Protein backbone atom coordinates (compact mmCIF):
# COMPACT_ATOMS: atom_id res chain seq x y z
CA UNK A 1 0.00 0.00 0.00
CA UNK A 2 1.01 3.57 -0.64
CA UNK A 3 1.91 5.72 2.35
CA UNK A 4 -0.14 8.74 3.37
CA UNK A 5 2.86 11.02 2.89
CA UNK A 6 3.60 9.67 -0.60
CA UNK A 7 -0.01 10.11 -1.70
CA UNK A 8 -0.08 13.70 -0.46
CA UNK A 9 3.28 14.40 -2.11
CA UNK A 10 1.98 13.17 -5.48
CA UNK A 11 -1.09 15.40 -5.14
CA UNK A 12 0.91 18.50 -4.25
CA UNK A 13 3.32 17.83 -7.12
CA UNK A 14 0.37 17.84 -9.53
CA UNK A 15 -1.78 20.79 -8.46
CA UNK A 16 -0.68 24.33 -9.28
CA UNK A 17 -1.54 27.73 -7.80
CA UNK A 18 -4.28 29.46 -9.76
CA UNK A 19 -3.15 32.25 -12.06
CA UNK A 20 -3.64 35.76 -10.61
CA UNK A 21 -6.44 37.99 -11.89
CA UNK A 22 -7.25 41.69 -11.62
CA UNK A 23 -10.17 41.67 -9.19
CA UNK A 24 -12.56 44.39 -8.13
CA UNK A 25 -12.43 44.92 -4.37
CA UNK A 26 -15.96 43.53 -4.00
CA UNK A 27 -14.71 40.19 -5.37
CA UNK A 28 -11.37 40.08 -3.57
CA UNK A 29 -12.43 38.87 -0.12
CA UNK A 30 -10.72 35.58 0.72
CA UNK A 31 -8.39 35.66 -2.28
CA UNK A 32 -4.61 35.62 -2.01
CA UNK A 33 -2.70 38.77 -2.88
CA UNK A 34 -0.29 38.36 -5.81
CA UNK A 35 1.37 41.78 -5.76
CA UNK A 36 2.76 44.35 -3.37
CA UNK A 37 0.35 47.06 -2.34
CA UNK A 38 1.95 50.43 -1.59
CA UNK A 39 0.57 53.76 -0.40
CA UNK A 40 0.85 56.50 -3.06
CA UNK A 41 0.44 59.23 -0.43
CA UNK A 42 0.90 59.44 3.33
CA UNK A 43 -1.91 58.16 5.53
CA UNK A 44 -3.45 60.26 6.87
CA UNK A 45 -2.65 62.65 4.00
CA UNK A 46 -2.91 65.70 6.29
CA UNK A 47 -2.93 66.56 9.98
CA UNK A 48 -6.48 66.06 11.23
CA UNK A 49 -8.44 66.09 14.45
CA UNK A 50 -8.98 62.85 16.33
CA UNK A 51 -11.95 64.29 18.25
CA UNK A 52 -14.68 66.88 18.15
CA UNK A 53 -13.37 69.95 19.96
CA UNK A 54 -11.44 73.16 19.49
CA UNK A 55 -8.19 73.76 17.63
CA UNK A 56 -5.98 76.16 19.60
CA UNK A 57 -2.41 76.99 20.41
CA UNK A 58 -1.18 75.07 23.47
CA UNK A 59 0.47 78.18 24.92
CA UNK A 60 -2.93 79.95 24.97
CA UNK A 61 -4.41 77.35 27.35
CA UNK A 62 -1.47 76.88 29.70
CA UNK A 63 -3.41 78.70 32.46
CA UNK A 64 -6.99 77.49 32.83
CA UNK A 65 -9.81 78.17 32.96
CA UNK A 66 -9.52 80.44 29.96
CA UNK A 67 -12.12 81.96 27.62
CA UNK A 68 -11.26 82.30 23.91
CA UNK A 69 -13.25 83.71 20.99
CA UNK A 70 -14.37 81.08 18.46
CA UNK A 71 -13.54 82.51 15.04
CA UNK A 72 -14.52 79.69 12.71
CA UNK A 73 -15.83 76.15 12.29
CA UNK A 74 -14.08 73.41 10.30
CA UNK A 75 -15.86 70.18 9.37
CA UNK A 76 -14.55 66.87 8.07
CA UNK A 77 -14.03 67.07 4.32
CA UNK A 78 -13.43 70.79 4.30
CA UNK A 79 -10.91 71.94 1.72
CA UNK A 80 -10.77 75.58 2.77
CA UNK A 81 -7.54 76.91 4.25
CA UNK A 82 -8.00 78.13 7.82
CA UNK A 83 -5.66 79.51 10.44
CA UNK A 84 -5.69 80.13 14.19
CA UNK A 85 -3.96 83.18 15.57
CA UNK A 86 -2.82 83.85 19.12
CA UNK A 87 -5.66 83.86 21.66
CA UNK A 88 -8.27 82.37 19.32
CA UNK A 89 -10.00 79.02 18.83
CA UNK A 90 -11.59 77.21 15.88
CA UNK A 91 -14.35 74.70 16.47
CA UNK A 92 -13.27 71.45 14.75
CA UNK A 93 -14.89 68.11 14.00
CA UNK A 94 -13.35 64.63 13.99
CA UNK A 95 -11.38 64.07 10.78
CA UNK A 96 -11.27 67.76 9.82
CA UNK A 97 -7.93 69.34 8.77
CA UNK A 98 -6.13 71.09 11.61
CA UNK A 99 -5.93 74.84 10.86
CA UNK A 100 -2.55 76.45 10.39
CA UNK A 101 -1.18 77.88 13.62
CA UNK A 102 -3.01 75.39 15.86
CA UNK A 103 -0.89 72.76 17.57
CA UNK A 104 -3.44 71.04 19.81
CA UNK A 105 -7.09 70.03 19.92
CA UNK A 106 -9.09 70.39 23.13
CA UNK A 107 -11.92 67.81 23.32
CA UNK A 108 -15.34 69.40 23.58
CA UNK A 109 -15.85 67.55 26.88
CA UNK A 110 -13.14 69.76 28.44
CA UNK A 111 -15.07 72.93 27.56
CA UNK A 112 -18.48 74.56 27.90
CA UNK A 113 -19.18 73.84 24.21
CA UNK A 114 -19.51 77.50 23.25
CA UNK A 115 -19.90 78.61 19.64
CA UNK A 116 -19.11 82.33 19.97
CA UNK A 117 -16.68 82.05 22.85
CA UNK A 118 -15.49 78.89 24.57
CA UNK A 119 -14.37 78.34 28.14
CA UNK A 120 -11.64 75.71 28.38
CA UNK A 121 -11.25 74.00 31.75
CA UNK A 122 -8.21 71.76 31.15
CA UNK A 123 -4.83 72.25 29.54
CA UNK A 124 -3.72 70.15 26.60
CA UNK A 125 -0.15 69.59 25.46
CA UNK A 126 0.94 70.29 21.90
CA UNK A 127 -0.16 67.45 19.62
CA UNK A 128 -3.13 66.42 21.75
CA UNK A 129 -5.90 64.72 19.71
CA UNK A 130 -4.13 65.40 16.42
CA UNK A 131 -3.51 62.64 13.87
CA UNK A 132 -0.30 63.59 12.11
CA UNK A 133 0.09 63.20 8.35
CA UNK A 134 1.83 59.90 7.60
CA UNK A 135 1.66 58.54 11.16
CA UNK A 136 -0.13 55.42 9.86
CA UNK A 137 1.67 54.94 6.53
CA UNK A 138 4.37 56.93 4.76
CA UNK A 139 4.17 57.61 1.03
CA UNK A 140 5.62 54.67 -0.89
CA UNK A 141 5.43 52.31 2.08
CA UNK A 142 4.42 48.69 1.38
CA UNK A 143 1.22 47.96 3.30
CA UNK A 144 0.57 44.38 2.08
CA UNK A 145 2.84 41.72 0.60
CA UNK A 146 2.15 38.91 -1.89
CA UNK A 147 0.77 35.78 -0.26
CA UNK A 148 -1.48 37.71 2.13
CA UNK A 149 -5.02 36.39 2.40
CA UNK A 150 -7.35 39.32 1.85
CA UNK A 151 -9.75 39.64 4.76
CA UNK A 152 -11.89 42.57 5.82
CA UNK A 153 -9.01 44.50 7.38
CA UNK A 154 -6.83 43.93 4.32
CA UNK A 155 -9.63 45.14 2.05
CA UNK A 156 -9.80 48.23 4.20
CA UNK A 157 -6.16 49.17 3.72
CA UNK A 158 -6.29 48.40 -0.02
CA UNK A 159 -9.20 50.79 -0.37
CA UNK A 160 -7.52 53.17 2.05
CA UNK A 161 -4.52 53.61 -0.24
CA UNK A 162 -6.85 54.38 -3.13
CA UNK A 163 -6.88 51.08 -5.01
CA UNK A 164 -10.09 49.99 -6.78
CA UNK A 165 -8.68 46.72 -8.08
CA UNK A 166 -6.04 44.31 -6.88
CA UNK A 167 -4.08 41.47 -8.46
CA UNK A 168 -4.85 38.27 -6.56
CA UNK A 169 -5.26 34.52 -6.94
CA UNK A 170 -9.00 33.81 -7.11
CA UNK A 171 -10.86 31.36 -4.92
CA UNK A 172 -10.66 27.84 -6.38
CA UNK A 173 -14.00 26.67 -7.77
CA UNK A 174 -14.61 23.14 -6.53
CA UNK A 175 -17.44 20.90 -7.72
CA UNK A 176 -18.57 18.13 -5.36
CA UNK A 177 -20.24 14.95 -6.67
CA UNK A 178 -21.64 12.05 -4.65
CA UNK A 179 -22.20 8.69 -6.29
CA UNK A 180 -24.41 5.78 -5.33
CA UNK A 181 -27.73 4.34 -6.46
CA UNK A 182 -28.81 4.26 -2.81
CA UNK A 183 -28.53 8.04 -2.33
CA UNK A 184 -31.55 10.33 -2.22
CA UNK A 185 -31.89 14.02 -1.40
CA UNK A 186 -32.48 15.02 2.24
CA UNK A 187 -36.08 16.03 2.74
CA UNK A 188 -37.48 13.19 0.64
CA UNK A 189 -38.99 9.96 1.91
CA UNK A 190 -36.72 6.92 2.12
CA UNK A 191 -37.63 3.82 0.19
CA UNK A 192 -36.21 0.37 1.05
CA UNK A 193 -32.45 0.31 0.48
CA UNK A 194 -32.06 4.08 0.33
CA UNK A 195 -30.14 6.56 2.49
CA UNK A 196 -30.03 10.33 2.50
CA UNK A 197 -26.98 11.87 0.85
CA UNK A 198 -24.78 13.57 3.46
CA UNK A 199 -21.35 13.45 1.83
CA UNK A 200 -21.99 16.14 -0.76
CA UNK A 201 -23.18 18.57 1.93
CA UNK A 202 -20.25 17.74 4.24
CA UNK A 203 -17.63 18.06 1.52
CA UNK A 204 -19.08 21.22 -0.04
CA UNK A 205 -19.07 22.85 3.39
CA UNK A 206 -15.50 21.65 3.98
CA UNK A 207 -14.47 23.22 0.67
CA UNK A 208 -15.93 26.56 1.74
CA UNK A 209 -14.33 26.33 5.18
CA UNK A 210 -11.00 25.89 3.39
CA UNK A 211 -11.47 29.21 1.62
CA UNK A 212 -12.65 27.99 -1.77
CA UNK A 213 -15.95 28.19 -3.64
CA UNK A 214 -17.91 24.95 -3.28
CA UNK A 215 -20.58 23.87 -5.76
CA UNK A 216 -22.69 20.87 -4.86
CA UNK A 217 -23.82 18.93 -7.92
CA UNK A 218 -26.59 16.36 -7.92
CA UNK A 219 -25.95 12.76 -6.91
CA UNK A 220 -25.10 10.21 -9.60
CA UNK A 221 -26.23 6.60 -9.75
CA UNK A 222 -23.92 3.61 -10.24
CA UNK A 223 -23.83 4.08 -14.02
CA UNK A 224 -20.30 5.04 -15.23
CA UNK A 225 -21.69 6.71 -18.35
CA UNK A 226 -24.05 8.86 -16.29
CA UNK A 227 -21.15 9.82 -14.05
CA UNK A 228 -19.01 10.88 -17.04
CA UNK A 229 -21.89 12.95 -18.45
CA UNK A 230 -22.31 14.74 -15.13
CA UNK A 231 -18.56 15.26 -14.82
CA UNK A 232 -18.28 16.71 -18.34
CA UNK A 233 -21.13 19.10 -17.59
CA UNK A 234 -19.44 20.33 -14.42
CA UNK A 235 -15.89 20.80 -15.72
CA UNK A 236 -16.74 24.14 -17.34
CA UNK A 237 -16.97 25.74 -13.88
CA UNK A 238 -14.40 23.68 -11.97
CA UNK A 239 -10.82 24.31 -10.92
CA UNK A 240 -11.05 21.01 -9.02
CA UNK A 241 -13.55 18.17 -8.59
CA UNK A 242 -14.19 16.13 -5.46
CA UNK A 243 -16.17 12.89 -5.70
CA UNK A 244 -17.24 10.47 -2.99
CA UNK A 245 -17.99 6.79 -3.46
CA UNK A 246 -17.41 4.41 -6.32
CA UNK A 247 -13.68 3.82 -5.76
CA UNK A 248 -13.49 0.48 -3.91
CA UNK A 249 -13.12 -3.11 -5.13
CA UNK A 250 -16.84 -3.92 -5.51
CA UNK A 251 -18.85 -4.72 -8.63
CA UNK A 252 -20.53 -1.30 -8.88
CA UNK A 253 -17.82 1.35 -8.68
CA UNK A 254 -18.81 4.02 -11.24
CA UNK A 255 -16.03 6.51 -10.55
CA UNK A 256 -13.33 3.90 -10.87
CA UNK A 257 -14.92 2.31 -13.93
CA UNK A 258 -15.40 5.65 -15.66
CA UNK A 259 -12.02 7.23 -14.94
CA UNK A 260 -9.57 4.31 -15.00
CA UNK A 261 -9.65 3.97 -18.83
CA UNK A 262 -8.65 7.63 -19.21
CA UNK A 263 -5.15 6.86 -17.96
CA UNK A 264 -4.90 10.18 -16.10
CA UNK A 265 -6.45 9.09 -12.79
CA UNK A 266 -4.87 6.50 -10.51
CA UNK A 267 -6.76 4.43 -7.96
CA UNK A 268 -4.64 3.12 -5.11
CA UNK A 269 -4.76 1.72 -1.62
CA UNK A 270 -3.32 4.17 0.89
CA UNK A 271 -2.07 2.82 4.23
CA UNK A 272 -4.57 4.68 6.39
CA UNK A 273 -7.69 4.02 8.40
CA UNK A 274 -10.29 5.20 7.62
CA UNK A 275 -10.03 6.00 3.90
CA UNK A 276 -7.84 3.30 2.34
CA UNK A 277 -9.24 3.46 -1.25
CA UNK A 278 -8.17 6.69 -2.91
CA UNK A 279 -8.15 8.07 -6.43
CA UNK A 280 -6.43 11.14 -7.79
CA UNK A 281 -5.50 12.56 -11.18
CA UNK A 282 -6.55 15.12 -13.77
CA UNK A 283 -9.44 15.20 -16.24
CA UNK A 284 -10.52 17.29 -19.21
CA UNK A 285 -8.65 19.51 -21.63
CA UNK A 286 -7.67 21.86 -18.81
CA UNK A 287 -6.22 19.03 -16.71
CA UNK A 288 -8.55 19.72 -13.78
CA UNK A 289 -7.47 17.89 -10.59
CA UNK A 290 -9.99 15.31 -9.42
CA UNK A 291 -10.04 13.78 -5.94
CA UNK A 292 -11.92 10.48 -5.86
CA UNK A 293 -12.63 9.88 -2.19
CA UNK A 294 -14.22 6.81 -0.57
CA UNK A 295 -17.95 6.79 0.08
CA UNK A 296 -18.16 6.15 3.81
CA UNK A 297 -18.88 9.55 5.41
CA UNK A 298 -16.00 9.54 7.90
CA UNK A 299 -13.57 8.17 5.33
CA UNK A 300 -14.41 10.91 2.83
CA UNK A 301 -14.14 13.66 5.45
CA UNK A 302 -10.81 12.46 6.84
CA UNK A 303 -9.51 12.09 3.27
CA UNK A 304 -10.58 15.65 2.53
CA UNK A 305 -8.71 17.01 5.53
CA UNK A 306 -5.51 15.09 4.70
CA UNK A 307 -5.39 15.46 0.91
CA UNK A 308 -7.89 17.93 -0.55
CA UNK A 309 -7.46 20.74 1.95
CA UNK A 310 -3.66 21.00 1.47
CA UNK A 311 -4.17 20.91 -2.31
CA UNK A 312 -6.71 23.73 -2.20
CA UNK A 313 -4.33 25.79 -0.09
CA UNK A 314 -1.66 25.34 -2.76
CA UNK A 315 -4.15 26.38 -5.45
CA UNK A 316 -4.78 29.53 -3.40
CA UNK A 317 -1.04 30.26 -3.34
CA UNK A 318 -0.65 29.53 0.38
CA UNK A 319 1.98 27.46 2.25
CA UNK A 320 0.93 23.86 2.36
CA UNK A 321 1.91 20.36 3.42
CA UNK A 322 0.66 17.75 5.83
CA UNK A 323 -1.92 19.24 8.23
CA UNK A 324 -0.38 20.85 11.28
CA UNK A 325 -0.35 18.66 14.38
CA UNK A 326 0.01 19.31 18.09
CA UNK A 327 0.76 17.09 21.06
CA UNK A 328 -1.98 15.98 23.45
CA UNK A 329 -2.34 13.27 26.07
CA UNK A 330 -4.90 10.60 25.38
CA UNK A 331 -7.59 9.62 27.84
CA UNK A 332 -8.06 5.88 27.48
CA UNK A 333 -6.09 3.27 25.58
CA UNK A 334 -6.10 3.13 21.76
CA UNK A 335 -5.72 0.30 19.29
CA UNK A 336 -4.64 0.61 15.67
CA UNK A 337 -4.04 -1.90 12.85
CA UNK A 338 -0.42 -2.68 12.00
CA UNK A 339 0.89 -1.04 8.85
CA UNK A 340 -1.75 1.68 8.67
CA UNK A 341 -1.78 5.22 9.99
CA UNK A 342 -4.97 5.65 11.98
CA UNK A 343 -6.92 8.86 12.33
CA UNK A 344 -9.27 8.39 15.26
CA UNK A 345 -11.92 10.97 16.01
CA UNK A 346 -11.50 12.67 19.36
CA UNK A 347 -12.43 15.60 21.56
CA UNK A 348 -9.47 17.85 22.37
CA UNK A 349 -9.88 19.67 25.68
CA UNK A 350 -8.38 22.92 26.89
CA UNK A 351 -6.11 21.08 29.35
CA UNK A 352 -4.24 19.34 26.52
CA UNK A 353 -5.98 15.98 26.80
CA UNK A 354 -7.85 14.24 24.02
CA UNK A 355 -10.53 11.57 24.40
CA UNK A 356 -11.64 9.31 21.54
CA UNK A 357 -15.32 9.58 20.72
CA UNK A 358 -17.58 6.55 21.06
CA UNK A 359 -18.12 5.16 17.58
CA UNK A 360 -15.01 4.98 15.41
CA UNK A 361 -16.63 3.25 12.42
CA UNK A 362 -16.11 4.89 9.04
CA UNK A 363 -19.88 5.13 8.65
CA UNK A 364 -20.59 6.77 12.01
CA UNK A 365 -21.32 10.35 11.05
CA UNK A 366 -22.90 11.28 14.38
CA UNK A 367 -19.67 10.44 16.21
CA UNK A 368 -17.70 12.56 13.74
CA UNK A 369 -20.02 15.48 14.43
CA UNK A 370 -19.03 15.45 18.11
CA UNK A 371 -15.26 15.42 17.39
CA UNK A 372 -12.99 18.43 17.09
CA UNK A 373 -9.72 16.61 16.37
CA UNK A 374 -8.17 13.60 14.69
CA UNK A 375 -5.90 11.47 16.88
CA UNK A 376 -3.04 10.19 14.73
CA UNK A 377 -1.52 6.77 15.44
CA UNK A 378 1.59 5.93 13.34
CA UNK A 379 1.81 2.90 11.06
CA UNK A 380 4.20 1.01 13.33
CA UNK A 381 2.13 1.47 16.51
CA UNK A 382 -0.73 -0.91 17.34
CA UNK A 383 -1.46 0.03 20.96
CA UNK A 384 -1.34 3.37 22.76
CA UNK A 385 -1.69 3.32 26.57
CA UNK A 386 -3.88 5.79 28.40
CA UNK A 387 -1.99 8.98 29.26
CA UNK A 388 0.48 8.63 26.39
CA UNK A 389 1.43 11.57 24.20
CA UNK A 390 -0.17 11.55 20.76
CA UNK A 391 -0.25 13.89 17.79
CA UNK A 392 -3.61 15.41 16.92
CA UNK A 393 -4.96 17.42 14.01
CA UNK A 394 -7.51 20.06 14.91
CA UNK A 395 -10.69 19.98 12.85
Amino acid sequence: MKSVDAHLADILATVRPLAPLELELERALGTTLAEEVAAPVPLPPFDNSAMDGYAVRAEDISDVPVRLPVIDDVAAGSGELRAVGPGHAVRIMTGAPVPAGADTVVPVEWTDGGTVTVTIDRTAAAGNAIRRAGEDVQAGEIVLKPGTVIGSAQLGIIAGVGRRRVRARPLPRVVVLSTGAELVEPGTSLQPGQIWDSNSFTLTAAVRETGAEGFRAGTVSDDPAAFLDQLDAQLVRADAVVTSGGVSMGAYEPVKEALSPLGTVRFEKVAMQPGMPQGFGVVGEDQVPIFALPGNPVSSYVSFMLFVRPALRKMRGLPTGFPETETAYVIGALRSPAGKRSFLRGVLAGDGTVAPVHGQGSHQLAALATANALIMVPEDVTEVPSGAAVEVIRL
Side-chain angles (χ1 to χ4, degrees):
M1 286 187 289
K2 189 179 184 181
S3 73
V4 171
D5 295 331
H7 189 59
L8 177 59
D10 285 347
I11 290 171
L12 294 180
T14 301
V15 300
R16 297 286 182 267
L18 297 182
L21 300 174
E22 289 287 333
L23 299 175
E24 296 282 343
L25 292 191
E26 289 84 355
R27 295 181 55 84
L29 181 65
T31 63
T32 306
L33 192 62
E35 64 169 326
E36 289 185 339
V37 175
V41 298
L43 295 182
F46 51 85
D47 291 356
N48 67 90
S49 178
M51 304 183 74
D52 293 340
Y54 298 84
V56 298
R57 302 194 319 163
E59 63 186 83
D60 290 337
I61 59 169
S62 59
D63 187 15
V64 291
V66 61
R67 178 177 291 274
L68 300 176
V70 178
I71 61 171
D72 208 344
D73 284 355
V74 55
S78 173
E80 298 181 20
L81 297 178
R82 290 178 171 83
V84 174
H88 294 88
V90 167
R91 196 163 63 142
I92 192 168
M93 309 307 159
T94 302
V98 176
D103 60 4
T104 192
V105 171
V106 179
V108 67
E109 293 83 1
W110 299 358
T111 74
D112 64 355
T115 57
V116 177
T117 62
V118 59
T119 299
I120 298 172
D121 299 318
R122 291 174 58 179
T123 61
N128 185 69
I130 293 177
R131 303 164 177 157
R132 295 298 183 187
E135 73 173 31
D136 185 10
V137 177
Q138 294 293 321
E141 184 177 341
I142 304 300
V143 295
L144 292 174
K145 295 182 179 180
T148 301
V149 176
I150 300 176
S152 54
Q154 290 73 33
L155 273 176
I157 189 60
I158 294 169
V161 300
R163 295 285 297 272
R164 194 65 184 80
R165 299 176 182 84
V166 68
R167 187 168 176 79
R169 300 188 192 279
L171 303 180
R173 300 166 300 168
V174 184
V175 170
V176 176
L177 283 165
S178 285
T179 66
E182 75 280 15
L183 300 179
V184 295
E185 286 288 305
T188 61
S189 298
L190 290 181
Q191 301 302 315
Q194 294 181 334
I195 60 172
W196 289 300
D197 170 37
S198 63
N199 281 359
S200 64
F201 290 93
T202 302
L203 295 174
T204 303
V207 166
R208 293 169 181 166
E209 287 176 339
T210 303
E213 291 186 286
F215 301 97
R216 177 184 171 268
T219 59
V220 183
S221 68
D222 287 335
D223 180 0
F227 170 77
L228 279 179
D229 287 344
Q230 176 73 298
L231 179 62
D232 287 340
Q234 297 297 329
L235 284 179
V236 296
R237 62 168 177 173
D239 297 309
V241 175
V242 178
T243 70
S244 65
V247 297
S248 296
M249 303 298 292
Y252 301 100
E253 304 296 344
V255 177
K256 195 172 184 180
E257 291 179 40
L259 299 181
S260 291
L262 301 180
T264 59
V265 182
R266 296 180 61 181
F267 292 88
E268 302 172 285
K269 293 181 179 179
V270 177
M272 59 185 286
Q273 181 174 299
M276 181 179 68
Q278 296 286 335
F280 174 75
V282 294
V283 291
E285 293 182 0
D286 295 329
Q287 301 287 281
V288 175
I290 185 167
F291 303 83
L293 308 183
N296 280 321
V298 179
S299 299
S300 65
Y301 182 73
V302 171
S303 300
F304 181 95
M305 295 299 295
L306 298 181
F307 304 127
V308 184
R309 190 173 188 274
L312 294 181
R313 285 183 57 83
K314 183 171 182 180
M315 294 176 74
R316 295 178 65 200
L318 300 175
T320 192
F322 190 79
E324 183 179 350
T325 66
E326 59 187 271
T327 301
Y329 297 89
V330 67
I331 298 175
L334 305 176
R335 297 178 64 86
S336 178
K340 290 185 178 181
R341 191 180 306 181
S342 288
F343 297 92
L344 305 171
R345 280 66 68 201
V347 176
L348 182 63
D351 61 0
T353 61
V354 63
V357 300
H358 296 290
Q360 291 290 334
S362 59
H363 63 291
Q364 292 178 292
L365 191 56
L368 174 65
T370 66
N372 64 2
L374 297 176
I375 307 169
M376 190 168 63
V377 182
E379 293 85 343
D380 59 350
V381 176
T382 58
E383 294 187 5
V384 178
S386 180
V390 292
E391 292 301 301
V392 299
I393 300 169
R394 287 185 183 265
L395 298 178

